[in-house]
Amino acid sequence: MRTILAAAAIAAMCTMGFGASAAPDSKDELVKLEATWSKASVAKDAAEVGKIVASDWTGQNAGGKLMTRDKMLADMKSGVDAATSMTNHDVHVRFIGDIAIVQGADDEKSTHMGKDTSGTYTWTDVFQKRGGHWVAIASQSTPVAHDK
């Protein structure tokens, strides 16, 4: 009986779209969106980043602190956080219904409060499809330690 119920539950989830794969063009769209986010960060284009990041976005920075969208955009505008170059690589996308998990890395030249923070970072961004558009709803970034 449990096996039948489990099979029925799995079948129901599949019909509702859980675990369904999005089209390859959706993956490409998200990879391009990540590149746009990086380019806009370097250009200090808070308006462009604001289109990508949802109003209820939260992020965990490399120092482990949570920040809101408003704080992140203010720090970008003021120069508290600044990047002069950023190149994404190893970007992978997975879909769970209307949620996309994008993981990747970037090599960047950056500063935080004037202190050099340049290096390689790995990150995870969670996107949700809202009103037909992908928006970032959560992010996390980790510096990659290099053996010296």
Side-chain angles (χ1 to χ4, degrees):
M1 182 67 166
R2 286 184 188 191
T3 305
I4 293 170
L5 289 175
I10 291 169
M13 283 191 281
C14 289
T15 9
M16 291 188 296
F18 292 103
S21 297
D25 58 332
S26 291
K27 287 185 179 185
D28 292 342
E29 178 183 357
L30 284 156
V31 171
K32 286 178 186 174
L33 197 55
E34 290 285 3
T36 299
W37 188 348
S38 293
K39 184 177 178 181
S41 294
V42 170
K44 296 175 185 55
D45 187 346
E48 185 66 29
V49 173
K51 293 177 192 174
I52 297 167
V53 177
S55 61
D56 60 342
W57 174 91
T58 56
Q60 185 176 28
N61 67 21
K65 295 192 181 192
L66 288 177
M67 66 172 40
T68 65
R69 173 184 185 262
D70 290 344
K71 172 78 169 130
M72 183 257 300
L73 294 175
D75 285 354
M76 178 188 301
K77 286 180 194 176
S78 71
V80 166
D81 289 316
T84 57
S85 71
M86 189 178 295
T87 305
N88 294 345
H89 54 90
D90 302 318
V91 180
H92 303 278
V93 181
R94 290 185 326 150
F95 294 95
I96 303 168
D98 67 347
I99 300 291
I101 301 163
V102 184
Q103 293 176 295
D106 71 71
D107 298 312
E108 62 184 63
K109 299 259 187 234
S110 58
T111 59
H112 174 70
M113 297 179 70
K115 179 184 171 202
D116 185 26
T117 54
S118 300
T120 301
Y121 289 80
T122 59
W123 41 261
T124 300
D125 292 322
V126 179
F127 287 83
Q128 184 177 33
K129 197 121 192 197
R130 294 181 181 176
H133 302 283
W134 290 107
V135 291
I137 59 172
S139 301
Q140 182 275 328
S141 178
T142 304
V144 174
H146 295 283
D147 293 332
K148 294 184 180 187

